[in-house]
Amino acid sequence: MSKIENLELLVVGGGPAGLSAALAAANYGIKVSLAEEREFLGGQLIKQTHRFFGSEKEYAGTRGIDILRKLIDEVNKNKNIEVLLSSRVLGIYEDNVVTILNDHKMKKYYPQSIIFATGASEKFLAFENNDLPGIFGAGAVQTLMNVYGVLPATNVLMIGSGNIGLIVSYQLLQAGVKVAAIVEAAPKIGGYSVHASKLRRLGVPILTSHTIKKAIGKEKVEGAVICELDSNWNEVKDTEQLIKCDAICLSVGLTPLVDLLKQRKVKTNYVSELGGYVPLRDENMETSIKNLFVAGDVSGIEEATAAMIEGQIAGLSVAKRIGKNNKREIEKRIEDAKNELELLRSGPVGKKIRKGLFKLGLNHGKNYNENFSEEALDISHLMKTGVPSEENLKNKLPSEEKVFDKGPIAISECFQRFPCDPCVKSCPFNAISENGNINNIPYVDFEKCTGCGICVSKCPGLAMFVVHKNFSETTSVVIMPYEFLPRPHRGEIVKVLDREGKYLCDGKVIRILDGKFQDKTAAVSIEIPKEYYLQARNFKVEE
Amino acid sequence: MDENKVIICRCEDVTLKEIRNAIREGFTTVEEIKRVTRSGMGPCQGKTCGLLIAKEISQMTGKPMEELELQNIRPPYGGITFEEVTKGTITENNK
């Protein structure tokens, strides 16, 4: 039998967590072998064309695909990392021998330590005819569109309003596909409100407290029957309605891919907040088996930013244990990474994660600052509909109407506490602040704001606008972010829409900023009748 | 809901009806249901059906999910050719 190769560190999975883990360890001299089952690196990042939330330190405001490029670049440059592509890890045995299938050969390895960054798989849903062709997982739809350039359908019904459901819906629209509706069984939207608002401004209905009953169609999906749910998640009588569509996209959550861990008999617990059966592990990402670490979604479903930091912690922990030098420096970096993670998870949207981690016996050393764990504003209406309430808006607009007289000013329509700061970091005048905690809602200091519009292109949630009320006697100008093709021409008349995607008025395009700096989120200035300056928040380019 | 038209295991085409029947017959772990229905034995190795079956068991028996386990998972994780297996063995014997 072929000989067994000794390794210092084997990282399984070439997604954000695995790449970060490999880099963190390799930078301290550890020899790393990174096994990825596909023929390319990247994991889910490869299809994430949207900008990331999170802190700027961890690439927030950058598109997933660009983050990936940076990571791959670093990995390829690093002499301590050997990348094994098209290499599926087939087994891990009790003596820690790992078998990898590469080039149709099963090779044996004996790593000193392993980091499993195997990610997650999509959950499936039980409903009638759920095996009809045309029923996709959201990940599949995203892969088809964004990796292979193939349109999945012409009119999609999205099931699930978590961030994936919302983001994939938006990307479907960008690709020219109609989204019939987004159906959500819970009474409130699962993902970030800014993503939901983006879709509502494009006229996509979001139906909370609704579920899919069955798919309709002979050879393939031709529609779906949905119905309303009451507060006990029971079907409300006589609320069935038929939605026409040619595809149903399921985005009902992810679950950690623990198959390899289970081979090695790593202990797992069912923790619904973290997506399903998750491995027990400590704060340094080490499982119940010594020298066997986890990072990213396999350790509990979270965002890619958290996955990258967890990867760093796991990689650094390995470096600290088997490396020869720099132990103190590594310890400091682990501490920093833990603090960063804690900050990311400290807001209201991190509540679920915190609860899940607590069930695993983890609190990351400290108690979270509960000041940031509640919403600052009542956003119940926003989270039900995707549209901010009058009350919400009032809170973010200038308290005095005359502030609008001074000239163009930035209006932030971000109402939910979640860890994100590109608007703050992008402002050259320090006019946007979130009071020292990345989880706070950003507020604009209208005294300092010059209405330059930089933030309009930088906000990953497309929630920044610039309003110039007194552009002329009778007109105002609103600068809006725009990520669709074709781009409007200067001088063109466009249909201006409100926050629910309803037609308001015609508007004239007077300026388009669409250079390298805007990075495909154009800032378009539209002149509109003055009475609409507080309502106009989107526009449609007529074909 | 027509339980016959709800697919739980897409690889092996096992319906909700078959899963519920199995639970009624007293098979109340995911591993047992895998053995009697073939659910989870297909190429996806239970990634689609595992959680759904666990939830169904939980609902029908009242046992919380925390007390249930997924099916056993053994190496190899994916398919390998017999040639690869036998080649290895022959070399070993000839050593």
Side-chain angles (χ1 to χ4, degrees), chain A residues 530-543:
Chain A
K530 199 169 248 177
E531 67 232 68
Y532 297 122
Y533 74 101
L534 285 179
Q535 278 113 53
R537 288 299 179 266
N538 198 11
F539 63 90
K540 218 189 226 162
V541 178
E542 296 282 90
E543 300 270 314

Side-chain angles (χ1 to χ4, degrees), chain A residues 403-423:
Chain A
V403 173
F404 282 110
D405 296 336
K406 95 173 182 127
I409 48 167
I411 301 290
S412 155
E413 303 210 353
C414 178
F415 307 97
Q416 187 182 22
R417 273 185 166 168
F418 61 91
C420 184
D421 65 5
C423 63

Side-chain angles (χ1 to χ4, degrees), chain A residues 1-2 37 88-93 99 101 104-107 121-132 135-137 213 250 254-255 257-260 262-265 268 270-272 275-277 359, chain B residues 1-3 5-10 13 16 30 44-45 47-52 54-56 65-81 84-85 87-93 95:
Chain A
M1 201 137 188
S2 57
E37 68 175 333
R88 169 179 268 191
V89 173
L90 289 174
I92 168 166
Y93 297 83
T99 53
L101 187 68
H104 303 291
K105 287 185 186 69
M106 199 162 86
K107 295 174 186 163
S121 61
E122 290 191 286
K123 287 181 182 166
F124 191 52
L125 201 61
F127 57 90
E128 261 183 73
N129 302 325
N130 59 352
D131 62 335
L132 266 185
I135 297 174
F136 292 93
K213 281 190 75 175
L250 301 179
L254 301 173
T255 191
L257 198 45
V258 292
D259 295 26
L260 286 170
K262 284 188 76 92
Q263 287 185 8
R264 188 63 185 82
K265 306 230 166 21
T268 57
Y270 182 81
V271 182
S272 62
Y277 293 89
K359 283 189 185 172
Chain B
M1 179 171 53
D2 187 344
E3 293 173 10
K5 288 187 178 162
V6 181
I7 303 292
I8 297 296
C9 172
R10 290 216 275 199
D13 236 359
L16 180 61
V30 180
C44 96
Q45 288 286 293
K47 281 193 264 304
T48 306
C49 62
L51 265 186
L52 288 176
K55 286 215 166 108
E56 205 53 46
M65 288 288 282
E66 285 77 5
E67 287 173 28
L68 294 170
E69 286 266 352
L70 288 180
Q71 70 280 7
N72 295 333
I73 294 179
R74 299 178 189 85
Y77 178 60
I80 45 169
T81 59
E84 177 57 25
V85 178
K87 240 183 5 197
T89 319
I90 291 163
T91 325
E92 178 89 324
N93 291 343
K95 210 161 53 178

Side-chain angles (χ1 to χ4, degrees), chain B residues 24-44:
Chain B
R24 270 184 218 112
E25 280 172 45
F27 301 102
T28 53
T29 66
V30 180
E31 180 65 24
E32 283 169 341
I33 289 178
K34 168 178 148 184
R35 291 178 192 197
V36 295
T37 66
R38 287 197 61 83
S39 57
M41 288 194 187
C44 96

